[in-house]
Amino acid sequence: MDSHSFSHRVARYLLAHPWQVTLMLVLIVGGAVAILPRLKIQAGVSPFLDPTSPEYRIRDRVDAKFGTDDLLFIQIEGRDPFSHAGLTLVRELGQSIEAMVVFDESGASVPPVDDIDSLTTARILEGSDLSFRTLLLVPALIPSDGAALEAIREQAYKNPIIRQNLLSTDGKSTALIARLIKTLDDDGRAATVHHLRTLLHEVSTRNPGVRFALTGESVLRTDTATYVQSDLARFTPVLLALTALSLWVFARRLRGVLLTLINVGVSYVLGLGLLTATGGSLNNLSTMLPPVMMVLSVATIIHFLAELAKNRVTLGEERAGEATLAELLYPVFVCSLTTAVGFGSISASNIPAMQDFGIAAGLSVMVSFVASFCLAALALRLAPLDAWVSPKSAAVSERLDLLVSRYHGLVLKHPKKLLALGVVLVVASIAAIPFIVVDMKVIENFHADTPVRNETDRFEAAFGGTNLLVVSVESQENGRFLEPDALARLEVVERFMRDELQIPVVTSINTHLKLMHRAFFNEDPAYDRLPARREEIAQLMLIGGDPRLSQFVDESRRWVRLVARTHEPSSAAILKKFQALDRVLAEQFPASAGFRSESTGHSRLWAVTVTQIISSQLTTFGLSLLLIFGPILLMFRSWVAMLFTIPSNLFPIAVVLGIMGWFGIHLDLATTMIASITLGIAVDDTIHFVTHMRTRLAAHDDLETALRETLGMKGAG
């Protein structure tokens, strides 16, 4: 079928049946609006985690045994930690946090905190005559006299678990660490963070001079989502305002501006509606969908207005409307199809958020194509052409014609020089691509003056890091970690983490055993070491007494867990630490000896996920690059024409990636979509240009004339 005659038949149908077109538009938009209330907002990282990945399964298995590594850290400043008022504040704050209630993933109302570690919940050992007992560091009745408070301070500094975790390096502030329950979803974590912030504000109001810092993975996740949604809410009106201003300068008609803004709104609603219909959620990736749809919808209407203005001059009032719709129908359809295919290829990823985004974006582009042409046809029926774009608009201005003419002359006069310049830019860009670093620093997504950035920096400067590295070592033999050699192997791992990985805070069953051993022998410093015999280790663990031991060793004494904290913000650097740790674990706990050793934790899961997302995006980008040229080949029915479009599409992508390499811009979750979006925009422009160029060549059989007319028509849009 001749695409030209088919396009004119569709254009005539759209113009001849306004009520049917209106009904179609109402059904499309109405369906999207009706489903919008069901759109889920996920404020964390769950949509990005692949539950089938080995890292995810390992993390879940270890968490199920020992509890999660999802911790909230609260720094309390402005009051002596070991004063009566300071300890009272810590205790009351902990009790208030324990009284909080949120909804978990099943919708049940639950306390979000599993346990709290603070000066008033910490335990110490009191040794006497080859035994010891476990006591609270701070008694139920908080003392007021200086001697008793000083004794508490001394006991705290003697205990490395308390000193490293709950006291700042200068001793002027203390920390409260809350462990969240396992059944919280992202919404539950976000609600917990919001409740906690409200509580801390109320407490600081009642206690002048006291200052709090709240941080932790859940805090960063919650604030990232909040800032993304806030930025989107601010960005959308600004984009619309700039679009309206640009269109006014371009079309010089208020109705033309309104038509574009209506089309933007329709595309916005369709994008979110189809995201809902396909089971997706609004998350840190899918918030890109509305802006992308807005940009694509604006491009369609600008092409429509630009060609409408040109055709009105050359074809007259009666023929311009149908001719414009017919001329644009086929190339815009192919543009939409190639863009949809490109976005759809993203759904090949294993990352749930990328699957949802790819499917929703691909469908949205095609449905928005239909909606845009319905709106354009209705506009032509509602008012004369002059109402939508002025005869004196930029699209038909003499100044633009002059600029196009000069550019046309430059191209014809210096084709080799322009080609050489393009080659130089591409080569320079390709040379910089290997310098692109795949990395993500979540904390650096926040400006230096944001509360979450300030509070995280303050906490980490005083206490070390908030990123957890978790080690799990499991033996096939019950009681294996009552053996001195197994504990000695674990000690080697701990020393490696402190000395080689520069991790300041490392806690394990060995930390507890050394304290118990010293207490057992009346606090003799000579016994601040691991026991030498199995019987001694078994006896100490039997006496035990600290319920937190269950976070580091199981009841059968065959499975242990080690927890370390680092301030390293870089996902790439964190992953390197884990990989180095894996090598040491393999040496100390080989599978051949009956051990199963793994390093895990949310920080590893996230670092691996970032790498997978970026590599997946690069893979799907290559796939989309191959797929989108299929529709182009079908459209032009020429291998030469299809091959001609490749350089113009790859050029902007190479330059963008080259800029990232030369200027040290990391490839992360925010920038990984740049190549795909750039490709989508470049392909659209290429298709419009080549399509019009071919029609002008057919009309004139003269390259220079065809090029000049194509630049004149497409240069404005």
Side-chain angles (χ1 to χ4, degrees):
M1 180 184 294
D2 181 15
S3 61
H4 180 74
S5 60
F6 177 76
S7 297
H8 275 276
R9 285 203 300 275
V10 172
R12 282 193 292 271
Y13 176 86
L14 292 175
L15 292 171
H17 300 85
W19 290 109
Q20 294 180 21
V21 172
T22 302
L23 179 61
M24 185 189 309
L25 191 60
V26 169
L27 290 175
I28 293 173
V29 178
V33 171
I35 202 173
L36 268 182
R38 292 166 46 192
L39 178 64
K40 297 180 294 183
I41 299 177
Q42 291 185 283
V45 299
S46 296
F48 298 92
L49 303 180
D50 178 10
T52 65
S53 69
E55 291 81 10
Y56 193 99
R57 292 174 176 173
I58 291 170
R59 199 278 305 267
D60 267 11
R61 189 173 63 86
V62 175
D63 281 0
K65 188 65 179 178
F66 295 104
T68 72
D69 63 341
D70 199 348
L71 305 180
L72 298 177
F73 300 91
I74 303 170
Q75 180 183 9
I76 306 171
E77 301 175 277
R79 190 161 288 177
D80 182 359
F82 296 101
S83 66
H84 177 82
L87 292 172
T88 300
L89 175 62
V90 171
R91 175 171 289 172
E92 290 178 350
L93 179 59
Q95 290 170 346
S96 298
I97 293 173
E98 288 176 333
M100 290 193 314
V101 174
V102 299
F103 296 103
D104 68 2
E105 59 189 6
S106 67
S109 178
V110 296
V113 174
D114 197 9
D115 62 72
I116 291 177
D117 199 7
S118 71
L119 289 178
T120 57
T121 63
R123 287 166 171 78
I124 58 171
L125 304 176
E126 184 180 87
S128 61
D129 300 327
L130 298 182
S131 185
F132 62 85
R133 59 177 181 158
T134 304
L135 304 171
L136 285 169
L137 171 68
V138 180
L141 184 62
I142 299 175
S144 300
D145 64 286
L149 291 170
E150 195 59 35
I152 292 175
R153 186 193 304 270
E154 184 181 344
Q155 287 283 359
Y157 275 99
K158 283 170 54 180
N159 189 309
I161 297 175
I162 298 173
R163 187 178 67 247
Q164 292 181 351
N165 289 283
L166 303 177
L167 290 173
S168 62
T169 52
D170 60 8
K172 294 181 180 180
S173 63
T174 184
L176 185 150
I177 303 174
R179 181 186 305 277
L180 298 181
I181 61 174
K182 289 180 288 188
T183 56
L184 281 185
D185 57 12
D186 286 330
D187 291 337
R189 294 186 186 94
T192 302
V193 171
H194 293 315
H195 288 335
L196 189 49
R197 282 207 169 112
T198 301
L199 173 62
L200 294 178
H201 176 72
E202 293 171 353
V203 174
S204 63
T205 302
R206 295 195 304 267
N207 296 270
V210 174
R211 188 167 65 151
F212 297 102
L214 174 64
T215 187
E217 286 289 343
S218 286
V219 177
L220 296 182
R221 294 182 226 166
T222 298
D223 282 5
T224 297
T226 300
Y227 278 105
V228 167
Q229 292 167 21
S230 174
D231 288 346
L232 181 62
R234 289 198 302 267
F235 169 77
T236 301
V238 172
L239 177 60
L240 289 174
L242 291 174
T243 300
L245 179 61
S246 301
L247 284 165
W248 172 254
V249 173
F250 174 79
R252 298 294 178 89
R253 286 291 186 265
L254 180 60
R255 289 188 184 184
V257 174
L258 291 176
L259 174 64
T260 307
L261 295 181
I262 291 171
N263 192 47
V264 166
V266 167
S267 297
Y268 194 103
V269 169
L270 290 175
L272 293 180
L274 284 164
L275 181 65
T276 308
T278 54
S281 64
L282 195 62
N283 52 58
N284 294 350
L285 176 63
S286 59
T287 49
M288 295 177 63
L289 181 58
V292 168
M293 295 306 302
M294 289 168 64
V295 170
L296 294 175
S297 65
V298 166
T300 299
I301 294 298
I302 286 179
H303 279 296
F304 169 73
L305 293 177
E307 296 212 15
L308 188 64
K310 291 284 187 180
N311 286 332
R312 184 175 181 272
V313 174
T314 58
L315 300 177
E317 187 85 17
E318 292 185 4
R319 296 175 54 199
E322 180 186 325
T324 300
L325 288 177
E327 286 175 6
L328 287 176
L329 184 67
Y330 194 46
V332 172
F333 170 75
V334 177
C335 287
S336 300
L337 181 60
T338 55
T339 303
V341 168
F343 281 132
S345 66
I346 297 174
S347 64
S349 168
N350 291 327
I351 307 300
M354 295 188 71
Q355 294 173 352
D356 295 339
F357 177 83
I359 294 171
L363 291 174
S364 298
V365 168
M366 296 308 300
V367 177
S368 292
F369 157 75
V370 175
S372 294
F373 269 82
C374 288
L375 278 170
L378 290 175
L380 293 173
R381 286 298 305 263
L382 288 173
L385 306 189
D386 184 49
W388 303 107
V389 58
S390 169
K392 298 180 180 180
S393 69
V396 290
S397 69
E398 293 181 2
R399 181 175 298 179
L400 179 62
D401 287 341
L402 179 61
L403 290 174
V404 169
S405 178
R406 288 178 178 176
Y407 178 70
H408 173 253
L410 182 66
V411 171
L412 294 178
K413 187 175 181 180
H414 304 288
K416 293 182 180 179
K417 291 181 179 179
L418 291 174
L419 178 61
L421 178 61
V423 171
V424 169
L425 286 174
V426 169
V427 171
S429 299
I430 293 174
I433 291 176
F435 297 103
I436 296 177
V437 177
V438 176
D439 194 13
M440 184 168 185
K441 298 179 181 179
V442 175
I443 193 62
E444 293 187 2
N445 289 334
F446 303 98
H447 293 298
D449 57 349
T450 54
V452 65
R453 178 75 176 267
N454 284 328
E455 292 178 21
T456 300
D457 289 345
R458 274 164 40 208
F459 185 92
E460 295 198 334
F463 292 93
T466 57
N467 284 332
L468 270 61
L469 285 77
V470 177
V471 170
S472 164
V473 184
E474 193 176 356
S475 172
Q476 298 174 356
E477 177 187 344
N478 285 345
R480 185 68 177 88
F481 284 96
L482 296 176
E483 299 291 346
D485 74 296
L487 297 177
R489 293 170 184 266
L490 192 63
E491 187 76 0
V492 172
V493 175
E494 289 189 47
R495 283 200 302 270
F496 174 80
M497 296 179 77
R498 287 195 179 92
D499 299 340
E500 301 298 326
L501 301 185
Q502 299 294 300
I503 298 176
V505 181
V506 184
T507 308
S508 73
I509 185 58
N510 284 1
T511 317
H512 287 270
L513 278 171
K514 291 174 187 177
L515 288 173
M516 290 189 284
H517 196 211
R518 187 179 71 187
F520 191 79
F521 288 97
N522 248 348
E523 298 298 327
D524 185 343
Y527 290 92
D528 191 7
R529 54 177 173 77
L530 291 173
R533 296 186 300 115
R534 176 190 172 97
E535 292 75 14
E536 291 180 281
I537 297 168
Q539 184 180 7
L540 292 176
M541 286 198 185
L542 182 63
I543 299 173
D546 189 341
R548 284 176 174 76
L549 282 176
S550 62
Q551 295 178 12
F552 301 99
V553 63
D554 76 331
E555 304 84 353
S556 65
R557 314 306 189 206
R558 70 177 187 85
W559 193 351
V560 294
R561 174 177 177 259
L562 179 152
V563 180
R565 293 203 333 247
T566 177
H567 66 271
E568 178 57 65
S570 163
S571 63
I574 283 279
L575 197 54
K576 286 182 180 179
K577 287 182 186 293
F578 273 112
Q579 291 166 347
L581 184 56
D582 288 342
R583 291 191 290 269
V584 174
L585 287 172
E587 294 170 2
Q588 296 299 320
F589 298 101
S592 58
F595 290 107
R596 178 180 181 177
S597 61
E598 296 154 327
S599 60
T600 184
H602 177 81
S603 57
R604 174 161 197 157
L605 186 57
W606 183 236
V608 170
T609 298
V610 169
T611 304
Q612 288 176 341
I613 289 173
I614 294 171
S615 62
S616 173
Q617 176 59 20
L618 294 176
T619 301
T620 56
F621 170 71
L623 177 62
S624 65
L625 192 62
L626 293 174
L627 291 177
I628 63 173
F629 288 110
I632 293 176
L633 177 62
L634 291 175
M635 176 185 181
F636 295 137
R637 300 177 185 177
S638 166
W639 284 97
V640 175
M642 188 271 288
L643 293 173
F644 175 78
T645 65
I646 293 178
S648 60
N649 290 316
L650 295 185
F651 177 79
I653 298 168
V655 171
V656 168
L657 294 178
I659 290 172
M660 292 178 65
W662 286 120
F663 288 92
I665 301 172
H666 289 175
L667 193 62
D668 58 20
L669 295 185
T671 58
T672 187
M673 298 292 291
I674 285 179
S676 293
I677 294 173
T678 303
L679 177 62
I681 295 172
V683 165
D684 288 0
D685 290 338
T686 301
I687 289 173
H688 279 289
F689 185 90
V690 174
T691 302
H692 200 78
M693 182 73 176
R694 295 184 79 193
T695 60
R696 296 300 86 199
L697 275 172
H700 302 296
D701 196 24
D702 180 75
L703 180 61
E704 292 189 17
T705 304
L707 179 59
R708 183 175 62 254
E709 291 187 359
T710 301
L711 288 172
M713 177 66 79
K714 296 303 176 180

